[in-house]
Amino acid sequence: MYSLSLHKIIITILTVMLLQPCTLLADDIDGKPFTLEKAIEVATTNNVLIKEAMENHKAAIEEERAVKKDFLPKASASYSYTRLKDTPFVVFGISELEVGPKDNFHWDLSLTQPVFTGFVLSTKLKMAKLGIELKDVERKQAILDVVKEVKVAYFRILLAKKILMVANEAVGQLESHVNNAEKFYKHGMIPYNDLLKSKVALADVIQNKVRVEGQVEMAISSFNTLLRMDINTEIDVEDVLDVVPRLFDIDALMEEAIEKRPELKSLRLVFQQTDYVIQLAKSSYYPQIAFVAGYEQNGDNPAATNNDYGNFNNAHITVQATWTFFEWGKKRTEVRKYRHDKLSLREKINGIEDSIRLEVKNAFMNLQVAEKNIHTARESLVHAKENYRITNLQYQQQMTTSTEVLDARTFLTQAETNYYGALYGYMVSLAELERATGRK
């Protein structure tokens, strides 16, 4: 019973610890809409990709520390026991002379200090330092990816809510129109099919509203997932309506991307590491030299302190050199292989640089198109609103038909959708351009 209760307590504690970030976040944002800056802050703190990259960076630091330890002397010990079938002896004439016991106990201590390893240790240390830098670049890349995803998810929520607002507006206006149409029909001012057209149009916009409500919910769920919140958390985001046109120089953007993109930085570090890989392959061209100091005891008792046939202990200092100088050209072949790998990586870097330039150019063009679309869509929206106002007024005075009102409302819905699509499309394009150039 006690162990079961303890098990439940442990599970409860672990559950609270796992849910603590979400609880703190919910308390922190309770009743407050998310700003874009706050969303980015929360995401970069909680996102699993960034946490994974941070742990990889810490692992690289520990790897460098481990490599540094290889420069220091290493101590080892061994212990053995051997039982011989017969007592060892030597023959002098016709007599036998014992030269050792049946039971042999041996233990030793040794200390090994590498002196020259053919530059293996120094090369591994340089590679480990590059590894730390590489993992740090990967961490920054994860941050850039998450920041862009948060921006896109944020603007998608805003767009979905604006489309829902348009849908609600359309439902309200068509409900009013249907009420007017029913009154006109009762007074014999319009035919029945005009009333039916109005009701069908109202049913369509109601269905569209339900569909858009689902899109809003999914946009919020995606946003919550990025921030590692409960997927069903109801949140609000602060609107962003001001678009400040920015002037960009495409050539400067490309140069910035080639310099800052973490993907290229990572590949350049890997390219630099290939030189060290080649150096490691060349290390077998040199002898390996080490100092070895040791102490040993041999005896017929477990402590190896008794030896009737000689001294039971001894110590030694050794200079040890090993050199594999012939392997049928294996190492030379490996060196050539790594050199070809290096050239291959160089070409890969060139190809990715070209892809990044194209990505920047595409994001730049999308931003320009989106900016122009905002002005066009804004003018169209003004015209569509005025057109609907006039057409609806004419219908109330029975100067036009329901078809004209429904068409005007459709034009207005499309104009509003186009405007908000262009507005937040510009913001998404700006986020994509910033990511393409390596900006946060």
Side-chain angles (χ1 to χ4, degrees), residues 208-223:
N208 181 64
K209 173 190 172 183
V210 173
R211 182 169 58 252
V212 174
E213 286 174 341
Q215 293 172 355
V216 171
E217 185 173 348
M218 285 306 302
I220 292 176
S221 297
S222 298
F223 181 81

Side-chain angles (χ1 to χ4, degrees), residues 219-439:
I220 292 176
S221 297
S222 298
F223 181 81
N224 289 339
T225 302
L226 279 173
L227 272 60
R228 292 198 70 197
M229 297 167 51
D230 186 336
I231 194 171
N232 296 316
T233 301
E234 294 185 5
I235 58 100
D236 192 14
V237 293
E238 189 176 275
D239 203 353
V240 180
L241 289 173
D242 295 330
V243 174
V244 180
R246 302 188 185 185
L247 296 177
F248 293 105
D249 180 79
I250 184 61
D251 294 327
L253 289 174
M254 289 181 180
E255 290 179 5
E256 182 180 355
I258 297 300
E259 178 186 354
K260 291 185 177 181
R261 281 288 287 264
E263 297 92 331
L264 278 177
K265 288 183 177 180
S266 296
L267 284 175
R268 291 179 186 128
L269 289 172
V270 174
F271 183 78
Q272 190 175 347
Q273 280 186 331
T274 57
D275 290 329
Y276 298 138
V277 173
I278 294 172
Q279 183 64 53
L280 282 178
K282 289 181 177 180
S283 64
S284 61
Y285 293 163
Y286 307 96
Q288 311 285 312
I289 303 174
F291 281 137
V292 181
Y295 174 81
E296 63 179 1
Q297 288 190 186
N298 295 279
D300 58 7
N301 62 329
T305 56
N306 181 61
N307 191 333
D308 296 333
Y309 302 94
N311 57 320
F312 73 90
N313 63 345
N314 209 338
H316 66 87
I317 296 178
T318 305
V319 178
Q320 179 179 303
T322 58
W323 186 21
T324 304
F325 56 86
F326 182 69
E327 288 185 295
W328 301 95
K330 176 183 176 181
K331 291 300 179 184
R332 186 169 61 252
T333 302
E334 288 182 350
V335 170
R336 288 202 299 264
K337 171 193 176 298
Y338 293 134
R339 283 175 175 163
H340 287 302
D341 288 342
K342 180 180 179 180
L343 294 175
S344 173
L345 184 58
R346 176 70 267 176
E347 295 304 319
K348 181 178 182 179
I349 292 174
N350 291 336
I352 291 180
E353 286 179 352
D354 291 340
S355 298
I356 286 177
R357 291 189 183 94
L358 183 60
E359 183 181 347
V360 172
K361 180 66 178 292
N362 185 57
F364 176 76
M365 297 302 297
N366 288 340
L367 185 66
Q368 285 191 320
V369 170
E371 184 178 351
K372 293 177 181 178
N373 284 344
I374 291 176
H375 300 295
T376 305
R378 184 182 291 119
E379 291 180 1
S380 176
L381 178 58
V382 171
H383 299 325
K385 285 182 176 180
E386 182 63 12
N387 177 58
Y388 178 78
R389 187 189 69 81
I390 294 173
T391 305
N392 189 50
L393 185 60
Q394 289 177 336
Y395 179 76
Q396 292 175 5
Q397 297 174 357
Q398 280 298 287
M399 297 174 62
T400 188
T401 64
S402 290
T403 301
E404 294 295 326
V405 175
L406 299 178
D407 288 344
R409 180 57 247 187
T410 301
F411 294 149
L412 178 55
T413 298
Q414 188 62 53
E416 289 177 321
T417 302
N418 290 343
Y419 172 69
Y420 291 120
L423 181 67
Y424 296 111
Y426 174 88
M427 297 176 187
V428 170
S429 296
L430 180 59
E432 291 175 344
L433 180 60
E434 289 173 338
R435 176 61 184 91
T437 55
R439 296 180 184 178

Side-chain angles (χ1 to χ4, degrees), residues 40-67:
I40 292 173
E41 178 187 348
V42 173
T44 52
T45 301
N46 295 340
N47 190 270
V48 292
L49 293 178
I50 297 176
K51 287 186 175 182
E52 177 187 353
M54 291 174 64
E55 293 303 321
N56 288 335
H57 182 251
K58 293 176 183 178
I61 293 175
E62 295 301 327
E63 183 177 356
E64 184 206 21
R65 291 174 180 171
V67 172

Side-chain angles (χ1 to χ4, degrees), residues 141-161:
Q141 178 179 338
I143 291 175
L144 288 179
D145 289 337
V146 169
V147 167
K148 191 203 88 166
E149 289 177 4
V150 169
K151 289 179 180 179
V152 172
Y154 189 95
F155 297 136
R156 282 177 178 168
I157 291 177
L158 292 177
L159 176 59
K161 287 193 171 185

Side-chain angles (χ1 to χ4, degrees), residues 7-225:
H7 179 68
K8 290 182 178 179
I9 292 173
I10 293 174
I11 291 178
T12 303
I13 293 174
L14 290 175
T15 303
V16 171
M17 291 175 65
L18 290 173
L19 294 178
Q20 186 175 10
C22 293
T23 302
L24 291 175
L25 180 60
D27 292 341
D28 187 39
I29 64 170
D30 187 27
K32 301 177 183 177
F34 261 106
T35 64
L36 182 57
E37 292 75 15
K38 180 64 177 179
I40 292 173
E41 178 187 348
V42 173
T44 52
T45 301
N46 295 340
N47 190 270
V48 292
L49 293 178
I50 297 176
K51 287 186 175 182
E52 177 187 353
M54 291 174 64
E55 293 303 321
N56 288 335
H57 182 251
K58 293 176 183 178
I61 293 175
E62 295 301 327
E63 183 177 356
E64 184 206 21
R65 291 174 180 171
V67 172
K68 286 181 178 178
K69 306 299 183 183
D70 289 334
F71 287 88
L72 304 175
K74 295 177 176 60
S76 61
S78 66
Y79 185 92
S80 66
Y81 165 68
T82 303
R83 171 73 178 181
L84 299 177
K85 178 181 179 183
D86 300 312
T87 302
F89 64 89
V90 294
V91 178
F92 278 113
I94 60 172
S95 59
E96 297 177 351
L97 179 64
E98 290 185 4
V99 295
K102 281 187 176 182
D103 296 306
N104 294 271
F105 295 87
H106 169 86
W107 65 267
D108 65 71
L109 297 172
S110 64
L111 195 68
T112 304
Q113 172 63 58
V115 178
F116 180 71
T117 60
F119 308 104
V120 170
L121 295 182
S122 59
T123 302
K124 284 185 176 181
L125 182 59
K126 292 176 182 177
M127 292 180 69
K129 291 181 181 295
L130 276 182
I132 294 176
E133 192 174 350
L134 178 61
K135 295 305 178 183
D136 186 56
V137 170
E138 291 177 356
R139 179 184 63 84
K140 293 177 180 177
Q141 178 179 338
I143 291 175
L144 288 179
D145 289 337
V146 169
V147 167
K148 191 203 88 166
E149 289 177 4
V150 169
K151 289 179 180 179
V152 172
Y154 189 95
F155 297 136
R156 282 177 178 168
I157 291 177
L158 292 177
L159 176 59
K161 287 193 171 185
K162 284 294 188 295
I163 301 302
L164 179 58
M165 180 189 72
V166 171
N168 285 327
E169 179 184 282
V171 170
Q173 290 179 341
L174 288 187
E175 284 177 341
S176 176
H177 174 72
V178 168
N179 289 335
N180 290 332
E182 287 177 340
K183 292 177 183 178
F184 292 151
Y185 173 70
K186 287 180 180 179
H187 290 83
M189 300 172 65
I190 62 172
Y192 185 56
N193 66 320
D194 272 7
L195 176 59
L196 293 179
K197 288 179 183 178
S198 301
K199 290 185 175 182
V200 170
L202 176 59
D204 286 342
V205 294
I206 290 175
Q207 291 177 12
N208 181 64
K209 173 190 172 183
V210 173
R211 182 169 58 252
V212 174
E213 286 174 341
Q215 293 172 355
V216 171
E217 185 173 348
M218 285 306 302
I220 292 176
S221 297
S222 298
F223 181 81
N224 289 339
T225 302

